[in-house]
Amino acid sequence: EAGVAQSPRYKIIEKRQSVAFWCNPISGHATLYWYQQILGQGPKLLIQFQNNGVVDDSQLPKDRFSAERLKGVDSTLKIQPAKLEDSAVYLCASSQFNPGQVTLAKNIQYFGAGTRLSVL
Amino acid sequence: GQNIDQPTEMTATEGAIVQINCTYQTSGFNGLFWYQQHAGEAPTFLSYNVLDGLEEKGRFSSFLSRSKGYSYLLLKELQMKDSASYLCAVRSSPYNFNKFYFGSGTKLNVKP
């Protein structure tokens, strides 16, 4: 089974520039998560999709960050304009979870390798 | 709000046993996950507890006490490849969907 694919792996931009990250989840996974992981910290959830709908974006800085999941499959996360404090690894994860399903297998999150963003 | 605490860093010797603690305060608690993350790599799932008690999985075991808001990950027969960060993640399930809150991770250094 193919894992969660993310691209690019690394990106270096200057502040105020724009950047986009792409994620392709595991086939059939209904839930997709975008996390921000700053060096030395745990992942922080930015946005969560259930199929192609947003279920939680409470921690997404909406003045500069946007995300979409067209057709309920792959997803893009965009930052415009970038700030120095956006330097982090952006992780995408997916799970089989659908409301009403509580078995463990369907609630494990599988992570992609991440995109390491450096804002100069 | 959600609060998850783990020690920042631990060091142990190859072949030994190490216990990594996690304390949490969360609403709508619905399970606790442990993930392993090697430097520069994605987190990978290790274990899961939703009921009180010990879950054993080879060299790794995880314990949960919901009344105390406490969990630990026990690693036995440590190997050099166990050097990694260990993330404690709490699942909260409001409104029929899952939210995950991660601790900052415990960096484990295994020495020969």
Side-chain angles (χ1 to χ4, degrees), chain B residues 33-90:
Chain B
F33 293 74
W34 285 95
Y35 285 83
Q36 180 190 58
Q37 186 176 27
H38 285 101
E41 297 182 12
T44 54
F45 170 75
L46 282 179
S47 73
Y48 165 76
N49 297 73
V50 67
L51 299 177
D52 291 351
L54 189 69
E55 293 285 339
E56 297 189 79
K57 204 175 177 182
R59 294 190 300 115
F60 296 82
S61 304
S62 58
F63 171 84
L64 176 68
S65 169
R66 289 171 295 170
S67 62
K68 295 181 179 177
Y70 168 69
S71 173
Y72 67 73
L73 179 70
L74 194 70
L75 292 78
K76 304 174 188 174
E77 301 169 15
L78 279 174
Q79 303 175 7
M80 297 300 293
K81 67 179 182 179
D82 297 329
S83 292
S85 285
Y86 291 85
L87 300 166
C88 170
V90 171

Side-chain angles (χ1 to χ4, degrees), chain A residues 84-103:
Chain A
L84 297 177
E85 60 259 36
D86 298 332
S87 293
V89 175
Y90 290 83
L91 293 166
C92 178
S94 70
S95 75
Q96 289 181 286
F97 175 75
N98 259 314
Q101 293 174 332
V102 297
T103 58

Side-chain angles (χ1 to χ4, degrees), chain A residues 3-11 20-24 33-37 77 88-93 110-117, chain B residues 37-38 40-43:
Chain A
V4 177
Q6 287 190 247
S7 67
R9 286 298 313 275
Y10 305 93
K11 190 75 179 177
F21 314 125
W22 175 81
C23 172
N24 190 20
Y33 309 80
W34 280 104
Y35 289 90
Q36 180 192 60
Q37 187 174 25
L77 176 70
V89 175
Y90 290 83
L91 293 166
C92 178
Y110 296 88
F111 286 83
T115 297
R116 183 176 298 276
L117 173 67
Chain B
Q37 186 176 27
H38 285 101
E41 297 182 12

Side-chain angles (χ1 to χ4, degrees), chain A residues 31-109:
Chain A
T31 306
L32 186 147
Y33 309 80
W34 280 104
Y35 289 90
Q36 180 192 60
Q37 187 174 25
I38 293 172
L39 187 64
Q41 298 182 18
K44 183 184 89 171
L45 180 70
L46 293 175
I47 188 167
Q48 179 178 340
F49 292 93
Q50 187 72 40
N51 298 306
N52 62 346
V54 175
V55 294
D56 183 16
D57 62 358
S58 57
Q59 298 193 89
L60 187 74
K62 298 181 187 63
D63 58 333
R64 298 184 301 107
F65 286 64
S66 64
E68 60 183 10
R69 191 184 184 196
L70 299 176
K71 301 179 183 177
V73 182
D74 56 355
S75 175
T76 56
L77 176 70
K78 297 178 181 177
I79 308 175
Q80 180 180 11
K83 293 185 175 181
L84 297 177
E85 60 259 36
D86 298 332
S87 293
V89 175
Y90 290 83
L91 293 166
C92 178
S94 70
S95 75
Q96 289 181 286
F97 175 75
N98 259 314
Q101 293 174 332
V102 297
T103 58
L104 169 60
K106 291 175 170 44
N107 286 284
I108 295 172
Q109 293 182 81

